[in-house]
């Protein structure tokens, strides 16, 4: 393992601490008597009192016999004052002169015991009487600096690094932690809202024999003991509806779902959804309930029904507009699809410059047209309603509009946030809808639904009229925290494999840096610039080509060296 100079020094400090009889990773409980946030918010209560706190050392200013440091715990940051003679009242000053000043580093986790006071400039602080090392940090933290004008330098801001090393991101970027605290508030508010209504939180299988309940590509695995293929669930809908058949009035689940599809700023292959099913309700009731729920979540999370999303102010105050999907398409494209054949819809899609193929049925075509030409217009919360049957194989037929279903999607800031139905509970109709999906699959639609025979059997025992909804927790968190990327609201988003650093000799680094300045470049010119001996040059250029960092091309104009892409 290659270690940087700072990492080597920290490991040497680790050994020196042990040589002094100090265990850098003690096993004993460290009893904390107060949190930093509580001390700062209730200073009068704590002033002059002794407290014991623990946290990570984020900065240090050594000034001879006294020093100031900033300690960060789970609730905030606070200054500590370390005086040599207060910390070491006896003859032995090792704890201050050697341990604190020389062997501790930024990022170390320490516990301090001392008296709460204010400095001459009014800064709440702790006068440290005892200091305990709780965990030695062997890697240096990014040093984020703020100048006198408030400008931040050397910020840990590269998304690739932040998502891969979320632990570092959380340490140095305080705002990130707030996002995940709000995410927890969203889930807890939702859970409390449902519990108060008497609905039951349940769990359903993640590994499923049939990936049902949505139109999406599944991840496939294999169960060795049973010798059968299994799928990571794409939705939990069909299992929750089985529970309604079984007699529960209302059930909900915060579920991890998995879809083997593309990744972008609003999609991750693993995501969290809340699905709720309530007996004896319909999609009109569900719209009213959704307005009430989201209004409550916005207030619990941000103290207001209005939230900022980029340049837009979104107001979750009820009521929300309700727009039939075919009306939305007609308004924004000028085309009335209500009586069109599949072939005619395909022609319309092509005229609108939307990519289509022969595997797409009516439902998929309507979905593509709405997604491309209409979705982005709906900034304020809007229920898009009454989807065609072809788009909604699990939805009850509309009570008064032939060919349509009682379904809505909630659009917010141009994106889908929720999907809900008056659930189809006619087992014969459901079987026919599944069979239509099977025909789409045979045409090549790899997102068409499977037929779940056991679910059909459950419906044949009788499911009461039911309304169900799915709300994307990740996307809802994006809206409530003003983040435009799903990666910002997932602790550990899916990432491409991390590229291993290529080890190079000093000569290879020299030549590579020259190539970064000019590429392609004539080989003799590059050799001259490098100023290496023939032997070192030969090793360097061969090393770079072998590591696929550079390419040598023989052209009519001579040998050229090019930096690999």
């Amino acid at each position: 393992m290659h270690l940087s100079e700072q990492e080597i020094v920290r490991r040497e400090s680790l050994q020196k601490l042990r040589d002094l009889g100090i265990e850098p990773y003690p096993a004993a409980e460290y009893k904390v008597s107060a949190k930093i946030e509580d001390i700062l918010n209730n200073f009068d209560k704590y002033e002059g009192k002794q407290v014991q706190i623990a946290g990570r050392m984020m900065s240090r200013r050594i000034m001879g016999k006294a020093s100031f440091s900033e300690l960060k715990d789970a609730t905030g940051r606070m200054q500590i004052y370390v005086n040599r003679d207060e910390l070491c009242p006896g003859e032995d000053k090792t704890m201050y002169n050697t341990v604190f000043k020389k062997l501790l580093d930024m990022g170390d986790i320490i516990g301090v015991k001392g008296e709460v006071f204010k400095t001459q400039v009014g800064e709440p602080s702790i006068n440290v009487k005892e200091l305990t090392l709780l965990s030695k940090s062997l890697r240096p933290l990014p040093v984020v600096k703020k100048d006198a004008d408030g400008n931040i330098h050397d910020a840990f801001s590269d998304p690739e690094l932040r998502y891969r090393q979320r632990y570092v991101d959380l340490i140095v970027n305080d705002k990130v932690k707030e996002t995940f605290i709000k995410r927890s508030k969203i889930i807890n508010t939702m859970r409390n809202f449902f519990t108060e209504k008497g609905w039951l939180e349940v769990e359903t299988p993640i590994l499923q024999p049939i990936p049902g309940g949505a139109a999406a590509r599944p991840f496939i695995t294999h169960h060795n003991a049973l010798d059968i293929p299994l799928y990571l669930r794409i939705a939990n809908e069909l299992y929750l509806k089985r529970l309604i058949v079984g007699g529960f009035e209302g059930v909900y689940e915060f579920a991890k779902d998995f879809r083997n599809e593309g990744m972008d700023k609003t999609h991750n292959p693993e995501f969290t959804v809340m699905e709720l099913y309530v007996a004896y309700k319909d999609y009109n009731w569900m719209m009213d309930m959704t307005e009430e729920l989201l209004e409550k979540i916005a207030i619990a999370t941000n103290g207001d029904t209005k939230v900022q999303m980029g340049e837009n102010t979104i107001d979750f105050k009820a009521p929300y507009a309700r727009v039939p999907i075919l009306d939305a398409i007609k308004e924004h494209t000028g085309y009335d699809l209500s009586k069109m054949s599949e072939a005619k819809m395909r022609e319309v899609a092509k005229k609108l410059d939307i990519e289509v193929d022969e595997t797409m049925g009516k439902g998929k075509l309507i979905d593509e047209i709405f997604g491309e030409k209409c979705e982005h217009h709906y900034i304020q919360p809007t229920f898009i309603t009454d989807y065609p049957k072809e788009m909604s194989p699990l939805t009850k037929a509309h009570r008064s509009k032939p060919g349509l279903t009682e379904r809505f999607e909630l659009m917010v800031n141009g994106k889908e946030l929720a999907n809900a139905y008056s659930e189809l509970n006619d087992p014969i109709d459901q079987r026919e809808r599944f069979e239509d999906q099977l025909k789409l699959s045979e045409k090549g639609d790899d997102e068409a639904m499977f037929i779940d025979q056991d679910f059909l059997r459950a419906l044949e025992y009788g499911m009461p009229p039911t309304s169900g909804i799915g709300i994307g927790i990740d996307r809802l968190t994006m809206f409530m925290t003003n983040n435009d990327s799903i990666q910002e609201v997932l602790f550990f988003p899916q990432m491409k494999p991390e590229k291993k650093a290529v080890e190079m000799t000093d000569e290879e680094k020299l030549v590579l840096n020259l190539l970064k300045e000019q590429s392609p470049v004539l080989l003799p010119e590059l050799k001259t610039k490098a100023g290496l001996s023939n032997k070192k040059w030969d090793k360097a250029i061969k090393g770079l080509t072998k590591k696929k960092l550079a390419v040598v091309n023989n052209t009519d104009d001579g040998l050229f060296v090019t930096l690999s892409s």
Side-chain angles (χ1 to χ4, degrees), residues 199 244 247-251 277-282 285 463-467:
W199 302 328
I244 297 294
F248 288 105
E249 182 183 340
V251 291
Y277 294 83
V278 185
Y280 310 110
K281 308 298 184 185
D282 67 4
W285 173 88
M463 184 175 85
T466 298
S467 185

Side-chain angles (χ1 to χ4, degrees), residues 353-564:
D353 296 322
I354 296 169
E355 280 190 36
V356 295
D357 58 55
E358 297 305 313
T359 70
M360 292 182 177
K362 272 188 178 184
K364 201 78 176 280
L365 291 166
I366 292 168
D367 195 33
E368 288 293 318
I369 293 168
F370 178 79
E372 289 287 328
K373 300 299 178 182
C374 309
E375 207 172 69
H376 60 280
H377 292 289
Y378 298 100
I379 303 301
Q380 295 305 319
T382 304
F383 294 116
I384 302 298
T385 68
D386 304 344
Y387 284 66
K389 264 190 179 183
E390 294 85 355
M391 295 181 69
S392 314
L394 295 164
T395 313
K396 187 169 283 191
H398 201 285
R399 67 195 75 177
S400 62
K401 298 177 182 178
L404 303 181
T405 61
E406 296 197 347
R407 172 186 175 187
F408 72 78
E409 286 188 350
L410 176 60
M411 307 303 300
V412 179
N413 203 43
K415 297 292 181 185
E416 176 200 341
L417 175 60
N419 188 19
Y421 316 145
S422 292
E423 301 295 336
L424 180 56
N425 61 341
D426 178 341
I428 295 172
D429 189 358
Q430 183 65 83
R431 184 177 293 277
E432 289 171 356
R433 304 272 197 99
F434 276 153
E435 286 170 352
D436 288 341
Q437 288 285 302
L438 187 60
K439 289 172 188 172
L440 288 174
S441 180
E442 288 167 354
K443 280 177 68 176
D445 185 347
D446 58 2
E447 292 185 352
M449 289 190 187
F450 288 57
I451 296 180
D452 188 333
Q453 298 291 351
D454 180 68
F455 174 66
L456 290 171
R457 178 169 57 192
L459 286 187
E460 288 169 357
Y461 281 98
M463 184 175 85
T466 298
S467 185
I469 189 169
I471 298 176
I473 298 299
D474 307 321
R475 199 166 286 180
L476 178 57
T477 305
M478 289 168 63
F479 295 149
M480 293 295 170
T481 59
N482 194 12
N483 279 300
D484 65 356
S485 171
I486 195 170
Q487 285 86 1
E488 293 290 348
V489 301
L490 301 174
F491 272 128
F492 305 106
Q494 199 67 45
M495 305 287 289
K496 288 181 179 177
E498 192 170 0
K499 290 181 179 177
K500 290 184 180 178
V502 179
E503 291 191 17
M504 291 184 286
T505 64
D506 290 342
E507 290 77 16
E508 288 169 351
K509 289 176 185 175
L510 171 65
V511 177
L512 188 65
N513 287 333
L514 291 171
L515 273 174
K516 287 177 180 177
E517 293 172 7
Q518 183 185 351
S519 173
V521 59
L522 280 165
L523 188 143
E525 184 182 336
L526 181 63
K527 181 180 178 182
T528 301
K529 281 184 179 179
L532 298 172
S533 67
N534 287 337
K535 187 175 181 180
K536 286 185 177 180
W537 162 258
D538 192 47
K539 278 189 175 181
I541 198 67
K542 282 181 179 176
L544 290 176
T545 54
K546 187 176 181 181
K547 290 165 186 169
K548 297 183 179 178
L549 297 172
V551 178
V552 179
N553 294 309
N554 193 357
T555 72
D556 293 339
D557 296 319
L559 286 171
F560 278 86
V561 184
T562 306
L563 191 66
S564 294

Side-chain angles (χ1 to χ4, degrees), residues 67-110:
S67 302
F68 287 97
S69 184
E70 185 184 48
L71 208 63
K72 178 182 179 180
D73 72 3
T75 66
R77 297 171 181 241
M78 186 175 186
Q79 180 173 271
I80 62 171
Y81 171 69
V82 186
N83 181 287
R84 186 190 68 182
D85 296 327
E86 297 264 9
L87 183 64
C88 310
E91 292 295 319
D92 185 0
K93 308 295 183 184
T94 304
M95 194 63 192
Y96 181 82
N97 290 339
T98 304
V99 176
F100 182 77
K101 287 175 68 174
K102 298 177 182 178
L103 302 181
L104 293 191
D105 295 285
M106 254 76 81
D108 287 353
I109 298 171
I110 61 173

Side-chain angles (χ1 to χ4, degrees), residues 223-347:
H223 193 292
N224 290 336
L226 296 176
D227 194 24
I228 57 169
L230 288 174
Y231 302 86
L232 289 178
R233 70 177 166 206
I234 56 175
N236 50 341
E237 175 171 344
L238 302 188
Y239 283 91
L240 291 173
K241 287 199 276 196
R242 285 170 168 92
L243 298 179
I244 297 294
V245 171
F248 288 105
E249 182 183 340
V251 291
Y252 67 95
E253 180 177 17
F254 291 94
K256 282 286 189 184
D257 287 351
F258 308 84
R259 296 183 183 177
N260 198 357
E261 299 172 339
M263 292 171 59
D264 57 32
K265 291 182 80 173
T266 58
H267 294 89
N268 193 67
E270 174 186 348
F271 60 98
T272 304
V273 67
M274 186 290 304
E275 289 204 30
L276 164 74
Y277 294 83
V278 185
Y280 310 110
K281 308 298 184 185
D282 67 4
Y283 82 139
N284 293 311
W285 173 88
M286 187 63 81
M287 281 187 253
D288 295 339
M289 191 282 299
T290 303
E291 289 171 340
E292 183 186 355
L293 172 65
L294 292 179
E295 190 174 315
K296 194 175 284 279
I297 287 171
I299 293 169
T301 309
N302 292 302
D304 197 336
T305 60
K306 292 180 180 178
V307 301
Q308 199 64 30
M309 189 65 194
E311 297 177 354
N312 299 318
T313 301
I314 311 294
D315 194 350
F316 284 97
K317 179 75 176 171
Y320 307 159
R322 304 180 183 193
V323 182
I325 189 171
L326 295 180
D327 290 0
I329 290 173
K330 187 176 180 180
E331 178 186 351
H332 295 293
T333 69
Y335 290 101
D336 184 355
L337 306 185
S338 60
K339 294 183 175 66
M340 280 189 190
S341 65
E342 183 182 308
K344 185 66 176 172
M345 280 186 197
R346 193 171 281 107
E347 284 179 26

Side-chain angles (χ1 to χ4, degrees), residues 39-58:
I39 297 172
L40 297 178
N41 291 342
N42 303 280
F43 184 78
D44 291 345
K45 172 185 166 185
Y46 283 97
E47 188 174 16
K49 304 279 179 62
Q50 186 167 272
V51 296
Q52 189 158 298
I53 68 171
R56 193 180 293 273
M57 192 164 67
M58 299 301 293

